[in-house]
Amino acid sequence: MTRDTCIVHHDMLSLGIVGLPNVGKSTLFNALTRSKQADAQNYPFCTIEPNIGIVEVPDERLQKLADVSKSKKIIPTAIKFVDIAGLVKGASEGEGLGNKFLSHIREVDAIVQVVRAFEDANVMHVHNKVDPKEDAEVINLELVLADWQTVENRLANTKKKAKGLVDKQTKAEIELLEKLNTHLESGKSARSLDYTDEEALTIKDLHLLTMKPMMYVFNCEETGPAASGVPSSQRSGTPFATGLWRENKQETNFLTDSEVGVNISAKLEAELADLTAAEAREYLKASGLEQSGLDKIIVAGYKLLDLVTYFTSGEPETRAWTVKWGTKGPGAAGVIHTDFIKGYIKADVVPWPDFVACGGWAGAKEKGVLQLVGKEYEVKDGDVCYFHVSA
């Protein structure tokens, strides 16, 4: 295999944005999916449907690797954001867009739930009060109720098919579905139950909404220079660090271990989206913020889904690839081309800082930092890889 690898499209991370009406969901979606448009050369923002946006994942390591390899192209990895229609109470029974929005959620890797944590008399709240915890409970209950229906239907069908002649496998499935049915009936999410490996396979087949990892995005007051006449340097306290929507799990009162929370101002993100990359950096700095909302969501999304980024780098191109944490060599090569899984022989691996410091592949080999790995090697975040595969 030459270093100008044959590239095919690979599945990208997809995040479904949900929330009650008027929480800033669409504002956030529009801001996120436009925020990198100005400087996205090789993966420009594109809209596939009105409610789907693809955004490149900003990664400063790419440019450093490309400079060393004198790459003609840089191709970042990407994230798909799906803006799912505003959820209302009773959605699981067909209220609002009901089942249509539920089917959209089933297709994403993780759910980003936008929760309103800002006061604004001009923006009506569907419940006439700002209560992040209560809003989250409404959304979560609708997802649980939808799953409860799915499990009840599967349980009834499984019992009907068995017609009293229950084998060991069917018996185990019925027991699992009954346990899950009771759990969901009590208003708890499917992911909060423990499963054996066999049970996990049955659950996967059900495509339950509440098995998906959950990220809460608390849409807070804007803290940028436009927010008030008071310079950010003179304001006390950390931006957004109030009450229920602190990012520290212990202080949120309702985030579980399988969930993450980030604080964002959708209004501020909308303002950033209209700026160049350099202007946006200055604006963030003046606002006392280190990261844009898009960056925060991407970092939290990768953490939530246990994802790592590895790179391929040569003269034709430097490219980022996303794999699950713990993915071994053949699996990592498989995201480049599925044929590489079967044909995998070995891989050259260099941590990206060493690759840059040594001036590329030849220098890394010369200085002894290049590692030759076999099929059992687990690819790490920041690895620069060159896969040797048979034709």
Side-chain angles (χ1 to χ4, degrees):
M1 171 188 155
T2 61
R3 295 204 189 269
D4 51 332
T5 318
C6 162
I7 300 296
V8 295
H9 176 76
H10 61 295
D11 289 338
M12 66 184 76
L13 169 65
S14 62
L15 300 174
I17 303 176
V18 304
L20 291 168
N22 291 348
V23 295
K25 195 168 58 68
S26 293
T27 306
L28 183 67
F29 173 79
N30 289 337
L32 293 176
T33 51
R34 286 180 193 148
S35 57
K36 297 293 169 184
Q37 194 174 8
D39 60 349
Q41 292 147 28
N42 300 305
Y43 214 118
F45 162 76
C46 57
T47 305
I48 299 167
E49 288 176 20
N51 64 336
I52 294 178
I54 292 176
V55 178
E56 68 171 44
V57 174
D59 194 325
E60 60 187 22
R61 297 174 292 186
L62 280 166
Q63 188 62 57
K64 291 172 182 172
L65 292 168
D67 289 346
V68 161
S69 297
K70 296 182 173 58
S71 304
K72 293 187 180 77
K73 275 197 300 187
I74 294 177
I75 305 178
T77 186
I79 282 186
K80 179 161 71 175
F81 285 104
V82 184
D83 184 23
I84 293 158
L87 239 153
V88 293
K89 201 168 185 176
S92 56
E93 292 161 11
E95 289 293 323
L97 288 177
N99 297 329
K100 189 179 177 189
F101 96 85
L102 293 173
S103 67
H104 287 151
I105 301 176
R106 287 189 207 286
E107 293 161 19
V108 299
D109 296 311
I111 298 171
V112 173
Q113 184 178 158
V114 181
V115 182
R116 179 169 167 176
F118 66 89
E119 298 278 359
D120 188 338
N122 299 317
V123 183
M124 194 189 94
H125 189 285
V126 72
H127 299 144
N128 296 317
K129 63 173 179 172
V130 176
D131 186 335
K133 188 167 188 282
E134 192 177 295
D135 288 0
E137 283 168 355
V138 169
I139 299 281
N140 291 337
L141 184 59
E142 289 308 320
L143 300 179
V144 165
L145 290 172
D147 281 351
W148 187 27
Q149 285 179 9
T150 301
V151 171
E152 275 202 315
N153 292 340
R154 175 70 170 259
L155 183 57
N157 288 339
T158 306
K159 283 180 173 175
K160 195 175 167 185
K161 277 181 192 167
K163 291 176 184 162
L165 303 166
V166 182
D167 58 42
K168 194 178 173 186
Q169 195 177 341
T170 309
K171 185 173 183 256
E173 185 179 328
I174 290 171
E175 282 174 5
L176 169 64
L177 291 169
E178 283 176 339
K179 179 174 73 171
L180 190 52
N181 196 38
T182 306
H183 187 73
L184 291 164
E185 192 180 357
S186 68
K188 293 171 187 160
S189 69
R191 68 179 165 271
S192 60
L193 258 183
D194 289 327
Y195 305 99
T196 63
D197 290 346
E198 279 180 18
E199 286 176 339
L201 285 173
T202 306
I203 295 294
K204 195 177 178 186
D205 189 39
L206 289 166
H207 303 290
L208 298 178
L209 305 173
T210 63
M211 276 303 287
K212 293 186 184 295
M214 175 77 77
M215 181 195 309
Y216 292 93
V217 169
F218 299 104
N219 186 9
C220 304
E221 304 288 348
E222 186 181 6
T223 59
S228 71
V230 184
S232 58
S233 58
Q234 291 174 25
R235 285 186 224 136
S236 58
T238 311
F240 311 148
T242 50
L244 285 168
W245 40 97
R246 289 190 180 177
E247 292 178 37
N248 181 334
K249 279 200 180 82
Q250 282 69 44
E251 296 174 5
T252 57
N253 295 359
F254 68 95
L255 290 196
T256 66
D257 286 342
S258 60
E259 300 168 341
V260 296
V262 295
N263 294 320
I264 285 172
S265 161
K267 199 175 168 190
L268 177 73
E269 293 306 311
E271 286 161 11
L272 287 173
D274 293 331
L275 305 175
T276 65
E279 287 169 342
R281 277 193 294 274
E282 279 303 307
Y283 195 94
L284 280 170
K285 202 174 166 186
S287 307
L289 299 170
E290 290 173 18
Q291 288 177 301
S292 70
L294 175 63
D295 292 345
K296 288 174 96 171
I297 286 175
I298 288 168
V299 169
Y302 272 55
K303 181 181 168 190
L304 191 63
L305 292 162
D306 282 336
L307 300 175
V308 297
T309 300
Y310 80 84
F311 305 99
T312 50
S313 188
E315 198 179 326
E317 66 178 34
T318 288
R319 184 162 183 157
W321 305 89
T322 302
V323 292
K324 271 265 192 204
W325 183 85
T327 298
K328 292 180 180 177
V335 301
I336 296 175
H337 200 300
T338 47
D339 290 351
F340 293 172
I341 300 173
K342 202 174 169 187
Y344 182 96
I345 302 167
K346 59 188 175 182
D348 299 336
V349 176
V350 182
W352 82 270
D354 292 340
F355 189 90
V356 172
C358 297
W361 290 108
K365 193 172 185 180
E366 199 181 298
K367 294 197 169 74
V369 293
L370 186 146
Q371 195 181 353
L372 197 62
V373 300
K375 291 181 179 179
E376 291 304 304
Y377 178 77
E378 292 182 2
V379 173
K380 295 176 183 61
D381 189 68
D383 276 353
V384 185
C385 301
Y386 168 60
F387 299 108
H388 298 265
V389 295
S390 58

